[in-house]
Amino acid sequence: GQSLEQPSEVTAVEGAIVQINCTYQTSGFYGLSWYQQHDGGAPTFLSYNGLDGLEETGRFSSFLSRSDSYGYLLLQELQMKDSASYFCAVRAPYNQGGKLIFGQGTELSVKP
Amino acid sequence: DTGVSQDPRHKITKRGQNVTFRCDPISEHNRLYWYRQTLGQGPEFLTYFQNEAQLEKSRLLSDRFSAERPKGSFSTLEIQRTEQGDSAMYLCASSPDRGDQPQHFGDGTRLSIL
């Protein structure tokens, strides 16, 4: 089977740094993606790790360790607008369709 | 880049009725995916198309569900004889035919079964 685990909710204050962890068990792996979703909105792509290491995109960074089947999303200088659900998703191998298998999501609440 | 467009945004129907949703992917994106999302859960894969060919269907896609992408551009998802359990957000995503490119999602169609 395939499964991903991430915390259900995280709370942090404005300006702080927060890390959302994700562990996965999958039969096929082509990378770990992170998506942000505000209430009622579309999942928005944040970051992708195909290889081990850190990827940085502005205030957001994502890390992957394939040997540990583990990744995280790091959000810095938190802003109120960062309050949303964050999903990690394993990407199936591209020659197998490249579908995304999502975790259940982490609801991030940013407090003033 | 106008993004992935889905229509309608909301659909309310009575149990037993048929419904059809439409997805217009980002132009020139060869791959098109359908997902379903229920409250508090992550999206779940339903099916995907490479151009006009439907190459994979999830076991979640019962016989009441059918999807098409007749010309390799827009796609439709039809649910026949809707049931209460079909209430969900139906999301469409598209991506280029390259392994390192992300999937871009539409705003979804929220289906409510009365």
Side-chain angles (χ1 to χ4, degrees):
Chain A
Q2 305 185 73
S3 66
L4 293 91
E5 288 195 17
Q6 51 182 127
S8 59
E9 52 186 41
V10 172
T11 301
V13 296
E14 232 177 339
I17 299 172
V18 71
Q19 178 173 314
I20 300 173
N21 298 321
C22 174
T23 57
Y24 60 87
Q25 282 187 311
T26 60
S27 56
F29 181 82
Y30 195 76
L32 190 69
S33 300
W34 289 91
Y35 283 80
Q36 178 193 62
Q37 187 177 34
H38 288 96
D39 278 348
T44 303
F45 173 76
L46 292 177
S47 188
Y48 171 73
N49 295 76
L51 300 173
D52 292 352
L54 192 68
E55 293 286 336
E56 296 180 82
T57 309
R59 295 187 296 116
F60 296 169
S61 304
S62 59
F63 171 82
L64 175 66
S65 169
R66 288 175 295 172
S67 61
D68 295 322
S69 298
Y70 164 76
Y72 66 72
L73 179 70
L74 191 73
L75 298 87
Q76 303 182 72
E77 301 171 17
L78 281 174
Q79 301 174 11
M80 298 295 289
K81 67 178 182 179
D82 296 329
S83 292
S85 292
Y86 292 83
F87 295 91
C88 58
V90 165
R91 191 165 192 173
Y94 209 68
N95 60 0
Q96 297 177 22
K99 66 186 178 189
L100 294 170
I101 300 151
F102 286 84
Q104 292 198 331
T106 298
E107 186 172 350
L108 171 64
S109 297
V110 180
K111 306 293 186 185
Chain B
D1 182 354
T2 57
V4 178
S5 177
Q6 292 189 244
D7 182 71
R9 288 295 312 277
H10 303 276
K11 180 69 176 179
I12 301 173
T13 192
K14 294 181 179 179
R15 187 179 54 179
Q17 298 296 303
N18 299 343
V19 293
T20 300
F21 312 139
R22 177 180 170 122
C23 171
D24 287 89
I26 293 172
S27 58
E28 298 179 358
H29 277 192
N30 304 92
R31 297 209 170 194
L32 186 148
Y33 302 82
W34 285 98
Y35 295 84
R36 182 174 70 185
Q37 186 177 25
T38 54
L39 198 62
Q41 302 295 314
E44 296 175 291
F45 170 77
L46 293 178
T47 188
Y48 96 95
F49 292 83
Q50 170 83 28
N51 298 312
E52 67 275 9
Q54 187 175 19
L55 297 184
E56 186 177 351
K57 292 193 288 187
S58 162
R59 57 184 169 78
L60 293 176
L61 215 65
S62 76
D63 291 344
R64 297 184 298 106
F65 288 70
S66 62
E68 295 182 342
R69 194 183 183 196
K71 298 182 180 178
S73 56
F74 73 92
S75 176
T76 58
L77 178 67
E78 180 183 18
I79 309 174
Q80 296 183 323
R81 305 180 303 281
T82 52
E83 301 174 355
Q84 291 281 352
D86 297 332
S87 295
M89 175 77 85
Y90 289 85
L91 293 162
C92 176
S94 69
S95 72
D97 194 14
R98 277 180 53 186
D100 60 344
Q101 294 300 301
Q103 294 179 24
H104 296 274
F105 284 79
D107 286 336
T109 294
R110 182 169 293 284
L111 175 64
S112 298
I113 307 297
L114 301 177

